[in-house]
């Protein structure tokens, strides 16, 4: 039953930013940390991706995800 619920969650159609994150990083792995608006009214998102190693605390990769010309782009940020 648990497996069936997980499969049903993956089959939900997601649009916009969530769809881009799922396609780029895998379903549900990347988390939106903060939404930022610039002076021109454009939205960008600060996104983190946890990476787990055996018996170690997770390391995080940070990305800036933004939309431009009705498409989404991302770039990795240095910590």
């Amino acid at each position: 039953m648990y497996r069936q619920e997980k499969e049903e969650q993956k089959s939900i159609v997601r649009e916009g930013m969530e769809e881009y994150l799922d396609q780029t990083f895998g379903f549900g792995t990347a988390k939106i940390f903060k939404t930022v608006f610039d002076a021109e009214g454009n939205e960008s998102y600060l996104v983190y991706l946890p990476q787990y190693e055996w018996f170690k605390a997770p390391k995080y990769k940070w990305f800036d995800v933004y939309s431009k010309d009705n498409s989404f782009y991302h770039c990795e940020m240095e910590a």
Side-chain angles (χ1 to χ4, degrees), residues 23-58:
Q23 289 176 353
T24 306
F25 303 110
F27 184 79
T29 56
K31 308 289 185 215
I32 297 175
F33 180 72
K34 192 172 197 177
T35 304
V36 180
F37 295 96
D38 65 4
E40 297 171 355
N42 298 324
E43 274 185 297
S44 65
Y45 301 89
L46 184 60
V47 174
Y48 67 93
L49 181 66
Q51 295 182 328
Y52 298 97
E53 291 184 27
W54 191 254
F55 289 115
K56 292 186 179 181

Side-chain angles (χ1 to χ4, degrees), residues 42-76:
N42 298 324
E43 274 185 297
S44 65
Y45 301 89
L46 184 60
V47 174
Y48 67 93
L49 181 66
Q51 295 182 328
Y52 298 97
E53 291 184 27
W54 191 254
F55 289 115
K56 292 186 179 181
K59 293 183 180 181
Y60 297 98
K61 284 191 171 185
W62 293 87
F63 296 92
D64 181 23
V65 181
Y66 57 94
S67 64
K68 185 176 181 182
D69 300 326
N70 296 328
S71 297
F72 290 103
Y73 302 96
H74 71 279
C75 61
E76 188 172 353

